[in-house]
Every structure is written in C-alpha cells, then in structure tokens.
Amino acid sequence: MPKFSIEGQIQSRVQNLIVVAHVEQALVPSNKVISISSGSANGFFKIDGEEGISKTQIKLLDGVLVADAKWNKTSPLQINVEGKSLSLTQIKSIQELPFGGVANIHSTIHFEQGDPVIDGDFLLENGEISNVLLGAVKGRVQYQNDLLTFESLE
C-alpha cells in the first residue's frame, strides 16, 4: 500500500459551543455539560501514513488551552491538554452545577471502547461551587462513564 502524507494549518473561531453528555438526546439543561460563548483555535496537523500528530492552541474563557494529540494504528488517540487561566465563572455551570473561579489544568484524554476518559490535575483559584466559596483548591479530576470525580483535594 502506498504511503501518504498530509499536513495542514488550523484556524477557527468558536461561537456558542455547547458540549453535551449524550448526542442522541435532546439539548435540555440536564444533557448540557458546558457552554462557551466564544473563542479561537490555531494549530497544525500532520498525518503520515498510519500515524498522526496535531497541536492546537485554543483561546477561550479568558485563558489558553494547548492540546497535543498523537495516534497510530497500534495506539489509540491520546490528547494531552494544558490549560492556563481558564475562567470557570464564564461557563457558569458544569452539568447544571454552578461553578466559578480560575483554573489551571493538565490532563490526558484517551478513549476506551469509543468513550472518552479524562484524567488530570487542576489548581482552582477563587473557587466557587453552588455559591459556596472554596478559595484555592488543587487536586485530581477524572471523567469516565459519565461520572466526574475529584480526588486528593487540598
């Protein structure tokens, strides 16, 4: 089979981005994970035969996310995400739970049987959940099988 290579640049604007828990269900508050009003994305990608890489810088929530992705035919897609100064106050809620504060995150996203698994560390400044002021909080977060968990909170 002939080998091929594709390279490209990514430039995009984000407006009214809504992340849902289940795409097959209606867009109702209980199915909405987060909503982001605007942002921008810039990056590159390269696919070389049966493997690929991409790096994208996403400016949103008054901060910056950098996502590095790698994949090949023997390893599933893995995305490393670094986020700095992300305003949770701008997204207002996560799964109907009111959130506030500014977060720095480092996480890895991979897929198990097509479902996303997110595992990472976070530092939240001026944290607020359901109108309870938390101040500075750091810990570990995991999302898998529609369950968001927090561990090692300080």
Side-chain angles (χ1 to χ4, degrees):
M1 181 180 322
K3 189 174 177 180
F4 68 95
S5 182
I6 300 171
E7 293 184 41
Q9 299 291 318
I10 301 165
Q11 291 186 331
S12 180
R13 288 184 341 149
V14 174
Q15 289 186 305
N16 301 316
L17 173 68
I18 298 172
V19 178
V20 297
H22 303 282
V23 294
E24 70 279 0
Q25 295 178 4
L27 183 58
V28 295
S30 62
N31 192 29
K32 185 168 65 169
V33 178
I34 62 171
S35 177
I36 298 171
S37 61
S38 65
S40 64
N42 295 293
F44 76 92
F45 67 91
K46 180 178 181 180
I47 301 171
D48 194 12
E50 296 174 336
E51 61 185 29
I53 61 170
S54 73
K55 182 170 187 160
T56 305
Q57 181 183 61
I58 305 164
K59 294 181 181 179
L60 48 80
L61 303 174
D62 289 339
V64 176
L65 276 172
V66 176
D68 291 304
K70 291 192 281 187
W71 65 92
N72 62 46
K73 86 175 198 178
T74 60
S75 299
L77 172 64
Q78 179 170 315
I79 306 168
N80 295 311
V81 179
E82 188 85 31
K84 296 194 184 290
S85 301
L86 303 171
S87 172
L88 299 183
T89 306
Q90 283 192 14
I91 60 174
K92 298 182 180 134
S93 67
I94 299 174
Q95 283 289 121
E96 295 187 275
L97 187 63
F99 265 77
V102 176
N104 293 316
I105 61 169
H106 178 81
S107 65
T108 301
I109 303 169
H110 69 275
F111 297 85
E112 291 182 6
Q113 298 174 349
D115 293 325
V117 176
I118 303 170
D119 188 30
D121 298 307
F122 70 91
L123 172 61
L124 178 61
E125 297 290 337
N126 301 314
E128 183 177 340
I129 299 175
S130 292
N131 298 321
V132 175
L133 299 177
L134 304 173
V137 179
K138 70 178 183 174
R140 188 151 195 81
V141 63
Q142 186 175 53
Y143 175 81
Q144 185 173 11
N145 298 325
D146 291 334
L147 180 63
L148 180 65
T149 59
F150 297 92
E151 301 173 351
S152 305
L153 297 176
E154 298 178 24

